[in-house]
Amino acid sequence: MTDAALREPTFLILTALAARPQHGYGILLDVEEISGGRVKLRAGTLYTALDRMTADGWVRVDREQVVDGRLRRYYRLTDEGAARLEVEVRRMRAHTRAAERRLRLRPAGGTA
Amino acid sequence: MSGLERRYRRLLSWFPRDHRERHGEEMLVVLMSGAGERERPTARDFADLLWAAVRLHARRVVAADGGVDPRDVLAVVSLLGPLALVTGATTGLHEVAWWVRAGALTQMPWSTQFPDAPVWLLWGVVAVLVLWGSRRAAAVVAWVATAGFVLLAAFYPAQHWWLGVDAGWVLVGLLTAAALTWSPGPVRGRELVGGRAVVVLAVTVAVAVGLGVLGHRLLPAELLRVVVLVGGTLAACGSRSRVGRRSALVLLLPVVTAALGVAQWLVLGRIPVAAEVALFYGLPVVALLALGGLPRRIRRRPDQPVT
């Protein structure tokens, strides 16, 4: 498993699936909510990411439903995907702590 | 169907077929759900779908989507490789035919006219052993035949251009021996391509050898031979499946290196031996690795069978 930083859409999609399985449109809405409205994924980006994450074993199809004659497919995070997200969260947390420590050391009033 | 749906369907038609079959309807629902009252896709939708289609196609070209399992490619190679390699005897068989026509076969100096005969004979034995189901024996004989290529290159450098246009035979020999030793083997290969593939390739080899013997150095016959080899190998491996197309690419390496040889003479002329090795061995291997024809660390989709 690689520990290279995840791209933001990948991180947000994994986060959207962390608590429960979701269908494609649900993931798009959830990603927007998680990012505070800053990231608005589109269908092409979402399904390219799902294609890659499925190949990597991080995500898999949970179930399918037909609603109003239309297929709705739910995706869920695999254990491997959850572990990868956990690694990313730890990495981001370490960076955040380091940034906070450095900011506290910064002289008050501007440039040194 | 609304105009918007029709337009989205048209945009989705740019996606790879397997992706469209698996996700097309689902993507359409997502697109329509997010469209609101719009009647046309936005420019951002257009750009997003176009870019996604390009990326997905690119991933499939290099098999980065995991849709091709190199072990399956090698399984097909272990089944069909020995048979394909028999085609390499064509030049020598042309010599034999000449001496037969001259009524002097018994006087033919085999060591100069057809020194590589034992190697091609060994590949014929490997083909029979594979069809017989004796995989272990086939693997042993295949390694001996591959070592034969090296001996021929060392002792008869003028007989074939082993470092140049004939590098494809050595590569297919090596890959076939490796496939017989380490891949899931001919049984899996037969599951993937069916028994019919062996018959199709056998006919292809027979026709190609016949054209090579009877039409040696006649341009129309040589061109027809290439067409027969490419078409027959693709038909045998299955041109509609990605595993089949990559298996065919492996088996057609001798055609690829021959074409590279022609290109080399036309463009570069004579080049140093090291450059020849890089061109005729390095380039095909890099291409096979890039196209997913050789083993590497790529996962198969857990929810998708290999196609």
Side-chain angles (χ1 to χ4, degrees), chain B:
Chain B
M1 186 190 299
S2 69
L4 180 65
E5 181 175 340
R6 198 168 50 249
R7 289 184 180 99
Y8 275 135
R9 282 188 186 279
R10 201 174 302 145
L11 292 175
L12 290 173
S13 69
W14 296 340
F15 281 65
R17 188 179 59 190
D18 68 297
H19 190 274
R20 220 167 49 227
E21 287 171 359
R22 197 164 55 253
H23 294 300
E25 288 305 313
E26 188 187 347
M27 285 183 76
L28 189 67
V29 172
V30 171
L31 288 163
M32 296 295 286
S33 301
E37 299 301 311
R38 278 201 308 272
E39 292 181 1
R40 290 177 162 277
T42 63
R44 288 188 64 179
D45 275 341
F46 179 88
D48 178 66
L49 291 172
L50 177 62
W51 179 232
V54 168
R55 290 177 66 190
L56 288 166
H57 275 294
R59 284 172 61 76
R60 276 148 182 75
V61 167
V62 298
D65 61 324
V68 175
D69 189 334
R71 290 171 305 174
D72 283 342
V73 175
L74 290 179
V76 176
V77 169
S78 73
L79 174 71
L80 300 178
L83 201 50
L85 277 157
V86 173
T87 320
T90 303
T91 308
L93 289 175
H94 166 74
E95 288 295 326
V96 173
W98 188 90
W99 286 88
V100 167
R101 275 200 296 270
L105 183 63
T106 52
Q107 296 161 40
M108 176 177 151
W110 286 80
S111 61
T112 55
Q113 299 305 104
F114 199 2
D116 46 339
V119 171
W120 306 119
L121 190 65
L122 283 177
W123 281 116
V125 171
V126 176
V128 171
L129 288 170
V130 164
L131 295 178
W132 195 259
S134 306
R135 175 183 173 181
R136 194 167 295 176
V140 171
V141 180
W143 282 113
V144 173
T146 303
F149 280 134
V150 178
L151 292 176
L152 284 169
F155 293 107
Y156 296 94
Q159 186 67 25
H160 282 278
W161 195 3
W162 299 110
L163 294 179
V165 292
D166 290 321
W169 298 111
V170 183
L171 284 170
V172 177
L174 194 60
L175 288 171
T176 301
L180 279 166
T181 310
W182 291 297
S183 84
V187 173
R188 172 66 180 152
R190 196 185 287 263
E191 282 173 13
L192 289 163
V193 295
R196 190 189 68 93
V198 177
V199 178
V200 172
L201 192 65
V203 171
T204 300
V205 169
V207 173
V209 170
L211 284 167
V213 169
L214 301 174
H216 187 64
R217 293 196 175 162
L218 296 173
L219 188 60
E222 294 286 358
L223 288 175
L224 183 60
R225 186 164 172 258
V226 171
V227 171
V228 166
L229 275 175
V230 173
T233 307
L234 273 170
C237 295
S239 60
R240 292 177 69 84
S241 95
R242 295 171 69 192
V243 167
R245 287 195 295 273
R246 278 161 175 80
S247 306
L249 181 64
V250 174
L251 300 183
L252 288 169
L253 279 178
V255 176
V256 173
T257 53
L260 275 175
V262 173
Q264 180 220 324
W265 274 111
L266 290 176
V267 178
L268 302 172
R270 190 93 185 154
I271 57 174
V273 171
E276 273 185 2
V277 172
L279 178 67
F280 292 100
Y281 285 91
L283 194 62
V285 168
V286 168
L288 283 178
L289 282 169
L291 295 171
L294 294 179
R296 55 185 174 152
R297 287 177 178 278
I298 288 180
R299 288 169 179 278
R300 189 194 301 201
R301 290 171 177 284
D303 62 336
Q304 273 304 112
V306 168
T307 52

Side-chain angles (χ1 to χ4, degrees), chain A residues 38-65:
Chain A
R38 191 176 52 80
V39 177
K40 292 180 181 175
L41 284 186
R42 291 177 181 275
T45 306
L46 171 67
Y47 281 92
T48 309
L50 286 175
D51 188 74
R52 183 168 37 79
M53 287 190 274
T54 307
D56 287 343
W58 297 354
V59 165
R60 67 182 311 161
V61 174
D62 183 69
R63 64 185 189 278
E64 293 178 347
Q65 279 182 351

